[in-house]
Amino acid sequence: MTRLKSGVFAVVALAAGAFALGGFSTTSSTPFISAAHAQEVEVDTSTIVEMVQGAEDAPVTLIEYASYTCPHCARFHADGYKKLKAEFIDTGKVKFVYREVYFDRYGLWASMIARCGGTEKFFGITDLLFTDQSHWARAGDPAAIAEELRKIGKLAGLENTQLDACLQDGTKAQTLVAWYQENATADNVQATPSFVLNGTKVDNQPYADMKALIEAELGS
């Protein structure tokens, strides 16, 4: 169980007042709890699936903490991540775990879109979200951003009904926020992207330096 902290929830919770998200109105009746009430709510985070690539028994585990609205994260996924995948993940040397960070509500919405297709589509949608980040994240008001996120979901093969169900799942959103809090607190994550390499926190750095750290863990 994780106790939701009102300060974090104030950042990611949907703002009060009407806002249509594909027919979903974020009024006081929304399943998203208020920040004031959040501090009294405990959430079971065991239902959240870890998004993993690579061999389960790989000798090195690398966890990335990233926000879909973080430009530095988008840059890493455009370059360093692709090299990491080709050299270490696909070759069975690194088990890669991707964990979302929610600094704002748009990052939370993007996460709900990415997870909407399950583990099979998650990394593909993540790639689309980062590739198109400069467009959807700056689309304008919340309704416009939500619509651009829906377009990405549909581009990945998700149906409107499926997207509606995912975006309206207040319990899932609430649980994701608690899950993020739990992980970020445990690993002392304060910025994105951040990494945990075989249990040791590693800050964002050029891929060549990251590669050297991984090779040291591999003993090569």
Side-chain angles (χ1 to χ4, degrees):
M1 289 287 186
T2 296
R3 185 175 293 276
L4 285 175
K5 298 177 183 177
S6 61
V8 174
F9 216 94
V11 174
V12 299
L14 300 180
F19 161 54
L21 180 59
F24 178 38
S25 177
T26 62
T27 62
S28 59
S29 63
T30 179
F32 287 79
I33 60 175
S34 68
H37 190 230
Q39 54 192 307
E40 299 179 359
V41 176
E42 289 192 347
V43 180
D44 180 6
T45 60
S46 65
T47 58
I48 301 301
V49 176
E50 288 275 25
M51 296 301 177
V52 179
Q53 288 182 316
E56 185 63 32
D57 61 350
V60 172
T61 296
L62 179 68
I63 302 171
E64 180 192 1
Y65 285 91
S67 166
Y68 287 117
T69 56
C70 161
H72 297 293
C73 301
R75 282 195 287 274
F76 171 74
H77 275 261
D79 182 40
Y81 165 74
K82 289 181 170 32
K83 295 174 182 175
L84 174 73
K85 188 172 186 301
E87 295 184 45
F88 296 106
I89 299 173
D90 292 346
T91 56
K93 297 175 182 178
V94 167
K95 174 185 173 183
F96 178 72
V97 182
Y98 181 91
R99 291 180 178 169
E100 303 98 293
V101 171
Y102 307 125
F103 290 141
D104 49 59
R105 57 182 171 175
Y106 306 131
L108 176 60
W109 295 350
S111 175
M112 293 173 78
I113 293 288
R115 288 177 170 270
C116 196
T119 55
E120 297 81 5
K121 290 182 178 290
F122 178 83
F123 284 99
I125 295 176
T126 290
D127 186 56
L128 291 173
L129 287 166
F130 278 128
T131 299
D132 202 37
Q133 182 195 81
S134 61
H135 175 70
W136 67 261
R138 299 189 179 104
D141 62 20
I145 290 174
E147 183 56 32
E148 292 304 318
L149 287 172
R150 291 173 67 89
K151 288 178 183 178
I152 289 173
K154 286 188 278 190
L155 184 62
L158 303 180
E159 301 291 336
N160 275 324
T161 53
Q162 189 177 4
L163 289 166
D164 288 342
C166 290
L167 289 170
Q168 293 178 29
D169 191 345
T171 299
K172 180 66 169 291
Q174 177 174 304
T175 306
L176 282 170
V177 172
W179 172 78
Y180 147 62
Q181 279 185 191
E182 183 178 87
N183 290 327
T185 299
D187 288 328
N188 191 29
V189 174
Q190 299 177 343
T192 55
S194 289
F195 303 87
V196 178
L197 179 63
N198 275 355
T200 300
K201 184 181 173 185
V202 177
D203 291 330
N204 187 29
Q205 55 194 280
Y207 176 72
D209 295 339
M210 178 74 73
K211 179 178 179 177
L213 291 176
I214 294 172
E215 288 177 336
E217 291 293 318
L218 291 169
S220 57

